[in-house]
Amino acid sequence: MAFLDLIDVSKSYETDKILEEVSLFISEKERIAIIGKNGGGKSTLMKIINGALEADSGRRIIQNGVKVEMLEQNPNFNEHESVRENIASQLAEIMQKRAEYEDISRKLEHDFKNEQLLQKQLETVSFLDAHNAWNIDDKVGRVIEEFDLKEHENKSISLLSGGERRRAALAGLLLKKPDILLLDEPTNHLDAYMVAFLEEMLLKENFTLVFISHDRYFIDKIATRAVEIDNCKLRSFEGGYADYLRGKEALLHSMQKEHENLLKILKAEEEWLNRGVKARLKRDEGRKQRVLQMREKAKHNPSFIRKIKLEIEREKHNFNQEKSVNRQKMLFELENVSKSLGGKTLIKNFSMRIMQKDRIAIVGKNGTGKSTLLKILQEELTSDEGKIKKGEFEVGYFDQQRIMLDNEKNILETFCPNGGDRVEVQGKNMHVFGYLKNFLFPKEYLDKKIGVLSGGEKNRVALALLFAKKTDCLILDEPTNDLDIPTINILEEYIQNYHGAVLFVSHDRYFVDKIAKKLLIFKGGGKIMESYGSYSEFLEYESELKEIENYEKELDGAQNIKQKTNPKKLSYKEQLDYDKLPQIIETLEGEIANIKSCLANPACYQEKGILTLTELLAQKENELEPLIERYLGLEQKLESFE
């Protein structure tokens, strides 16, 4: 049964149709990615789902009691409260339910047959189970840590930057766990480590989710369905981004010839993604097997963990060995460069050469100095120590402020400042519209002022202007922010055909994997690591090492925890399970024995159907296994109290 239905919904702004008689059904535990061009109606659809925007026609039907909440682009907070207080204030209902449960449990110790109390306890247990809120205090601490808000948690939220405020709002929503969570570009302002944590939490907590994202790895990992908005209509594709590409390609094959160019881009995208997905799946499976093997052997031989860690470190070392390069023109040479800002060391004794055909991604956690390096190369900042040599060449620079654009000029004036309608693109003379349609601009946009364009449209203009200039090196700071996926595909194609060097800062793992031939990984504290593998692969090595290190800590602390923090009795819920499970297990075992007896008797299995009995047996055995595990775990816990 659907949590929420949109039926024959239409929406227009003045004369512009946005949605025309569209229907969408959101079921429990679905994770739906909304895909489409900027300005095509994605945010409008989200606001209608949220109930914040009225449709012109059609119906919005929502199940009784279902709560829908959305991550706002500019979240509202109590500016007089700290970061932690603002996050905790979103969890008032959960805290109240937990207090209710504890109060009821105390009362039941003296009145354990009170039917009214038992019923109320079941309701609060069901709520706390649904919101996975039994250890909510630990989860608050972990989310604050993973979203890099720890140093700010007791500061006024008014002191946070825009990106930090969005992370705080996202943290509160994830912990609150509404019945339907709506996220508009949730990976903006998150580094790759934060995105990995967000993915883990969304999958582990079984969110019902509708989201907009240009992060194609995120879509591929999270989405159970992709819904594309195209020409005011919705089209649904089961699965993640790879499935969407396959479905879209099949659709385009059946459409007109005008789609051939888009089909070519999609085909190349699908082939690239499939190679990457297969490689990642193979690596991921290997990682899981190694961690499982480590856990099993470590039970009998703790020194095995050290052996595994050494093997992974050795693989990382081999992974990072510099590949041989042909003799090329040198653009930049950095020798022992250091830079600190606000008392924080960002770059320390860093040396490298940037060559004519390099494709270098600058990656790492937020606040570690990535954009600072770009500004040093651009001579916007000077280094504290060291030398920088720069050859004679032209640099094209793209930044988030879009300083190359004048809001008072229209698009035609921006590309043809001296008049006319022709533009030089990498030495080739083109009609300005012929060039700009490659960046998805219709002809009527030529006389639009830059100032009235959306953020995504301004980014498309800036990128088109950048590639029109004759340059030897491109320096790009978060070029995919505010871009839709079709535009990112175009950007990737232009970069891949570009003759010069490209240096870029990005948190978009997919974009980095596809474009970069080399990584500069900012580790914090001024340390910068060079790598020649894919960014995803590097993150997987780090994840594996972190998991093993965490397991080491678990083993080291297990004895102390047992001695110091063991509770003296089971919780009320655990005691209920411990008392009830033997009877439930015994009943199931009896049913399984009867089914097996019937399967051994031809007269019985012919009457009831061998296939039906086999399926029923598998179902009962699947039910039994977790119950036995739960009971044995509780029994083991009881033994530890003795």
Side-chain angles (χ1 to χ4, degrees):
M1 184 176 178
F3 264 4
L4 186 147
D5 299 338
L6 299 182
I7 301 172
D8 295 333
V9 163
S10 296
K11 184 66 184 176
S12 299
Y13 293 114
E14 296 179 352
T15 58
D16 293 334
K17 283 185 180 179
I18 304 297
L19 301 170
E20 187 176 8
E21 295 184 352
V22 302
S23 296
L24 179 66
F25 309 102
I26 303 168
S27 299
E28 186 178 5
K29 296 183 181 178
E30 266 202 303
R31 297 185 297 273
I32 301 172
I34 307 296
I35 293 176
K37 292 188 291 188
N38 285 346
K42 300 191 297 293
S43 295
T44 297
L45 179 63
M46 291 277 273
K47 288 173 185 173
I48 292 172
I49 293 169
N50 192 30
L53 182 67
E54 285 285 334
D56 298 335
S57 61
R59 290 184 294 158
R60 175 183 181 268
I61 302 170
I62 187 167
Q63 260 192 56
N64 283 338
V66 167
K67 294 179 181 176
V68 184
E69 296 207 32
M70 183 170 179
L71 177 65
E72 301 294 339
Q73 291 290 343
N74 298 298
N76 291 317
F77 291 104
N78 184 333
E79 302 295 332
H80 303 294
E81 291 185 343
S82 70
V83 173
R84 181 178 269 273
E85 286 168 339
N86 268 286
I87 291 173
S89 68
Q90 295 195 57
L91 309 177
E93 187 178 12
I94 286 174
M95 296 302 189
Q96 180 192 341
K97 289 288 185 184
R98 196 175 68 171
E100 274 180 31
Y101 171 78
E102 290 167 357
D103 182 52
I104 293 166
S105 298
R106 281 192 296 271
K107 289 176 180 176
L108 279 168
E109 287 179 3
H110 306 289
D111 189 9
F112 62 88
K113 290 185 178 180
N114 187 315
E115 291 293 333
Q116 190 176 355
L117 283 175
L118 286 168
Q119 180 58 38
K120 199 167 183 183
Q121 187 191 53
L122 281 173
E123 289 170 6
T124 55
V125 166
S126 177
F127 178 90
L128 292 168
D129 279 345
H131 290 82
N132 204 359
W134 295 100
N135 59 338
I136 192 68
D137 296 320
D138 292 339
K139 287 166 72 175
V140 169
R142 189 182 176 208
V143 169
I144 286 173
E145 183 76 38
E146 294 287 353
F147 280 165
D148 199 21
L149 297 168
K150 187 69 179 172
E151 65 179 285
H152 307 296
E153 68 174 319
N154 297 315
K155 296 178 184 175
S156 169
I157 201 152
S158 62
L159 300 175
L160 266 58
S161 68
E164 289 164 343
R165 288 169 71 92
R166 263 180 63 87
R167 296 207 299 273
L170 178 58
L173 274 177
L174 291 171
L175 292 164
K176 191 175 183 181
K177 198 184 177 187
D179 299 307
I180 301 176
L181 177 60
L182 308 179
L183 299 178
D184 190 350
E185 293 291 0
T187 61
N188 277 3
H189 309 292
L190 302 186
D191 60 38
Y193 302 93
M194 296 176 194
V195 172
F197 170 70
L198 175 60
E199 290 172 344
E200 175 198 331
M201 198 159 184
L202 291 172
L203 294 173
K204 186 178 179 182
E205 302 285 341
N206 282 322
F207 276 83
T208 301
L209 176 68
V210 182
F211 67 99
I212 298 167
S213 180
H214 68 258
D215 186 327
R216 290 157 289 179
Y217 278 158
F218 184 76
I219 295 171
D220 205 52
K221 187 161 188 176
I222 296 299
T224 57
R225 179 156 61 109
V227 172
E228 181 185 54
I229 303 179
D230 187 24
N231 291 325
C232 308
K233 298 290 187 183
L234 301 187
R235 189 179 291 114
S236 187
F237 302 85
E238 291 300 318
Y241 185 65
D243 298 298
Y244 161 74
L245 283 176
R246 282 190 286 273
K248 183 74 172 173
E249 184 194 350
L251 184 71
L252 287 172
H253 268 303
S254 64
M255 295 173 75
Q256 300 172 7
K257 194 174 182 180
E258 65 186 80
H259 294 281
E260 281 182 2
N261 188 48
L262 181 55
L263 182 60
K264 181 187 74 175
I265 293 173
L266 278 171
K267 181 69 176 173
E269 171 87 335
E270 184 194 347
E271 288 173 356
W272 185 89
L273 178 63
N274 282 340
R275 288 199 303 274
V277 166
K278 286 174 184 175
R280 287 200 317 279
L281 285 173
K282 187 175 179 182
R283 289 195 305 270
D284 196 41
E285 191 57 40
R287 183 178 72 81
K288 285 178 184 174
Q289 286 301 320
R290 180 153 50 186
V291 171
L292 286 172
Q293 179 191 39
M294 176 275 297
R295 282 183 176 272
E296 189 59 36
K297 290 196 176 182
K299 291 176 187 175
H300 311 290
N301 179 13
S303 65
F304 183 74
I305 297 176
R306 291 192 292 275
K307 178 175 177 290
I308 285 285
K309 283 178 71 176
L310 284 171
E311 285 179 8
I312 298 168
E313 290 288 4
R314 194 179 299 116
E315 286 178 28
K316 276 182 73 176
H317 177 73
N318 293 335
F319 173 83
N320 291 319
Q321 292 301 304
E322 185 167 343
K323 296 178 181 178
S324 60
V325 293
N326 297 326
R327 294 181 67 84
Q328 297 173 20
K329 176 183 174 183
M330 187 186 72
L331 304 183
F332 296 96
E333 184 173 15
L334 289 77
E335 186 178 339
N336 296 322
V337 169
S338 296
K339 182 67 182 177
S340 297
L341 288 173
K344 185 178 181 181
T345 301
L346 299 174
I347 301 168
K348 187 174 181 181
N349 296 331
F350 179 59
S351 300
M352 74 169 296
R353 288 182 171 185
I354 298 170
M355 310 303 286
Q356 186 179 8
K357 294 184 180 179
D358 277 343
R359 297 281 192 276
I360 301 173
I362 301 168
V363 297
K365 290 188 174 183
N366 287 339
T368 51
K370 302 183 298 295
S371 295
T372 299
L373 178 61
L374 294 190
K375 288 175 180 174
I376 289 172
L377 295 176
Q378 275 290 96
E379 299 178 345
E380 291 179 26
L381 289 175
T382 55
S383 60
D384 299 335
E385 297 175 12
K387 297 177 183 177
I388 300 174
K389 295 178 184 176
K390 180 183 174 186
E392 292 294 322
F393 59 93
E394 290 296 319
V395 175
Y397 184 49
F398 174 90
D399 74 331
Q400 291 301 297
Q401 283 68 48
R402 300 178 283 260
I403 55 174
M404 71 286 285
L405 300 182
D406 183 344
N407 285 336
E408 297 305 313
K409 290 183 178 179
N410 63 31
I411 291 181
L412 184 60
E413 291 168 335
T414 298
F415 284 86
C416 305
N418 300 317
D421 57 8
R422 311 290 295 182
V423 62
E424 286 286 323
V425 180
Q426 302 292 323
K428 182 181 177 184
N429 188 275
M430 297 180 69
H431 190 280
V432 67
F433 170 62
Y435 175 56
L436 285 177
K437 71 179 182 181
N438 294 330
F439 288 83
L440 307 180
F441 282 108
K443 199 166 189 176
E444 56 268 24
Y445 266 63
L446 292 181
D447 60 0
K448 275 198 175 187
K449 289 276 183 76
I450 299 295
V452 304
L453 301 179
S454 69
E457 288 167 340
K458 286 179 180 177
N459 272 4
R460 295 202 331 252
V461 172
L463 288 168
L465 197 61
L466 186 69
F467 284 104
K469 292 179 178 176
K470 193 172 182 181
T471 58
D472 302 290
C473 176
L474 297 179
I475 296 179
L476 315 173
D477 193 356
E478 290 288 1
T480 63
N481 273 6
D482 291 322
L483 296 185
D484 50 33
I485 291 174
T487 309
I488 296 174
N489 285 331
I490 292 164
L491 170 62
E492 288 165 350
E493 188 179 28
Y494 269 85
I495 290 176
Q496 286 166 336
N497 292 327
Y498 180 69
H499 68 277
V502 182
L503 285 83
F504 63 97
V505 169
S506 182
H507 295 306
D508 187 329
R509 299 158 297 169
Y510 190 106
F511 183 75
V512 172
D513 281 354
K514 195 168 180 180
I515 298 300
K517 305 300 180 190
K518 178 179 178 179
L519 306 176
L520 294 182
I521 303 163
F522 278 62
K523 305 289 288 179
K527 184 180 177 184
I528 303 172
M529 175 181 173
E530 294 186 47
S531 168
Y532 284 81
S534 77
Y535 191 30
S536 294
E537 194 170 358
F538 176 83
L539 290 170
E540 284 160 9
Y541 281 128
E542 282 205 326
S543 174
E544 188 175 353
L545 281 169
K546 185 178 179 182
E547 191 169 352
I548 289 171
E549 285 163 5
N550 288 340
Y551 186 62
E552 265 188 307
K553 289 175 186 174
E554 286 175 25
L555 287 178
D556 291 341
Q559 191 59 38
N560 289 336
I561 291 169
K562 184 175 179 181
Q563 290 171 354
K564 295 178 182 178
T565 63
N566 260 348
K568 294 182 180 177
K569 62 178 183 177
L570 297 176
S571 71
Y572 185 78
K573 184 174 184 294
E574 287 174 329
Q575 188 65 53
L576 278 177
D577 285 353
Y578 186 72
D579 293 340
K580 291 177 181 177
L581 280 171
Q583 182 59 50
I584 297 169
I585 289 168
E586 188 178 335
T587 302
L588 266 174
E589 285 176 337
E591 291 174 4
I592 288 168
N594 289 337
I595 295 167
K596 287 181 175 178
S597 175
C598 186
L599 283 168
N601 183 341
C604 184
Y605 69 64
Q606 284 171 9
E607 178 188 343
K608 296 188 177 179
I610 194 165
L611 184 60
T612 302
L613 287 167
T614 305
E615 289 176 350
L616 186 59
L617 178 63
Q619 177 193 325
K620 295 293 182 183
E621 287 177 337
N622 286 338
E623 289 175 19
L624 180 64
E625 188 177 343
L627 295 178
I628 292 173
E629 284 183 13
R630 170 70 169 160
Y631 181 73
L632 291 175
L634 291 172
E635 196 167 63
Q636 188 176 6
K637 192 171 182 179
L638 270 174
E639 288 171 0
S640 72
F641 302 154
E642 297 170 0

